[in-house]
Amino acid sequence: MEDSKVVSPSEEKEKDNLNLLLDSSYPLLQKFRELCPGSFKHSQALSSMIEGISLSLGLDVNYMKVVALYHDIGKTFNPKYFTENQLEDENPHDKLEPKMSYQIISRHVSDTALILMNDINFPRDLIEIICQHHGTSIVKYFFDKSGSSVEDNFRYKAEKPKNVESMILMICDCIEAKSRSQMQAGKFNPGAVIEETINGLLSDGQLDDVVMRLGDLQAIKEALAKELEGTYQKRVDYNKAKEEKEDGVAKKV
């Protein structure tokens, strides 16, 4: 007879907390959805992506889903300064200097920490992972816009990922945003997005502090490829098909 695993009271409480935080009626999630509809959708898509990858890699699925859902909740302090929450004709950054825009954008990491630390149900180790999802990367758009040659003036002031979980959050966050952008532009290449993202983070030193087993990165790439293939698979353009059919009929006539 196999011994059943004994779950400690603290483990049971953490499990209950994770389930509570994943409930769509949880106040923080409701506030996030209302104030930042675009950021919330991104976080939902990221959570779905990370769920599949966590299953493939044997990670705690609910743990990773919570990390994904709440990683951008600091944007509730300044929702309209983030592209995904803006209407077509509004962009408050048009009236700001690039340095000021950078400060507002990069601040969402510390704002996220502030919000989550004041929630008694939120595990502290998850907050650490969430606060590492941008590492010390560059807020590239405003760095380029500034014309500055000093990259360090436009970097996030946070810790780089320290473990596989925070590394996966960083990689998937970048890939989800890039994938959505490229799909809208009609030039999505899943393999290229994965390689460019991971190679870019490696060359910028963002993954230097992560201790990995041999093959971890390859396993992550394979899990990502599977997720992107299922989530962003090529869809039939019905309007184009209809036009081609009409052209074919016209030619016969």
Side-chain angles (χ1 to χ4, degrees), residues 73-74 108-118 127 130-131:
I73 203 161
H108 84 271
V109 176
S110 57
D111 287 342
T112 292
L114 181 63
I115 291 169
L116 297 182
M117 285 176 67
N118 282 292
I127 298 175
I130 285 171
C131 289

Side-chain angles (χ1 to χ4, degrees), residues 34-38 78-96 141-142:
E34 290 167 8
L35 296 179
C36 303
N78 294 293
K80 295 301 182 183
Y81 284 87
F82 297 89
T83 309
E84 65 269 24
N85 301 313
Q86 296 170 0
L87 299 175
E88 287 186 12
D89 59 346
E90 64 173 4
N91 188 347
H93 292 289
D94 291 341
K95 300 177 182 178
L96 298 177
Y141 179 83
F142 293 109

Side-chain angles (χ1 to χ4, degrees), residues 20 34 44 50 52 97 145 157 166 177 181 187 206:
L20 181 66
E34 290 167 8
Q44 280 186 311
I50 278 182
E97 291 295 321
K145 185 178 178 181
K157 311 299 183 188
S166 53
S181 176
K187 54 178 183 179
Q206 297 304 314

Side-chain angles (χ1 to χ4, degrees), residues 184-196:
Q184 291 172 350
K187 54 178 183 179
F188 180 54
N189 183 329
V193 170
I194 293 169
E195 289 297 327
E196 288 170 9

Side-chain angles (χ1 to χ4, degrees), residues 178-188 232-233 235:
K178 285 182 182 177
S179 298
R180 190 162 20 91
S181 176
Q182 290 190 12
M183 281 289 288
Q184 291 172 350
K187 54 178 183 179
F188 180 54
Y232 297 98
Q233 60 183 310
R235 292 172 172 77

Side-chain angles (χ1 to χ4, degrees), residues 4-137:
S4 58
K5 183 181 178 182
V6 178
V7 179
S8 69
S10 61
E11 289 176 324
E12 191 63 41
K13 182 181 179 182
E14 181 172 316
K15 183 179 177 182
D16 290 342
N17 280 352
L18 293 178
N19 289 328
L20 181 66
L21 293 168
L22 287 172
D23 191 324
S24 60
S25 65
Y26 195 71
L28 271 184
L29 276 185
Q30 286 187 325
K31 182 178 180 180
F32 189 27
R33 182 171 54 243
E34 290 167 8
L35 296 179
C36 303
S39 300
F40 180 74
K41 286 180 182 177
H42 158 66
S43 297
Q44 280 186 311
L46 182 61
S47 178
S48 178
M49 179 187 291
I50 278 182
E51 179 178 9
I53 291 167
S54 298
L55 285 168
S56 297
L57 300 175
L59 301 175
D60 186 323
V61 174
N62 281 354
Y63 186 95
M64 294 301 293
K65 285 176 67 177
V66 169
V67 163
L69 273 178
Y70 289 86
H71 79 289
D72 271 347
I73 203 161
K75 292 181 178 180
T76 53
F77 284 170
N78 294 293
K80 295 301 182 183
Y81 284 87
F82 297 89
T83 309
E84 65 269 24
N85 301 313
Q86 296 170 0
L87 299 175
E88 287 186 12
D89 59 346
E90 64 173 4
N91 188 347
H93 292 289
D94 291 341
K95 300 177 182 178
L96 298 177
E97 291 295 321
K99 188 65 177 178
M100 180 60 72
S101 293
Y102 148 76
Q103 290 173 352
I104 293 171
I105 295 298
S106 61
R107 201 180 109 183
H108 84 271
V109 176
S110 57
D111 287 342
T112 292
L114 181 63
I115 291 169
L116 297 182
M117 285 176 67
N118 282 292
D119 188 306
I120 60 171
N121 295 312
F122 219 93
R124 293 301 180 258
D125 54 331
L126 269 76
I127 298 175
E128 288 181 17
I129 289 173
I130 285 171
C131 289
Q132 294 166 8
H133 81 274
H134 280 299
T136 60
S137 59

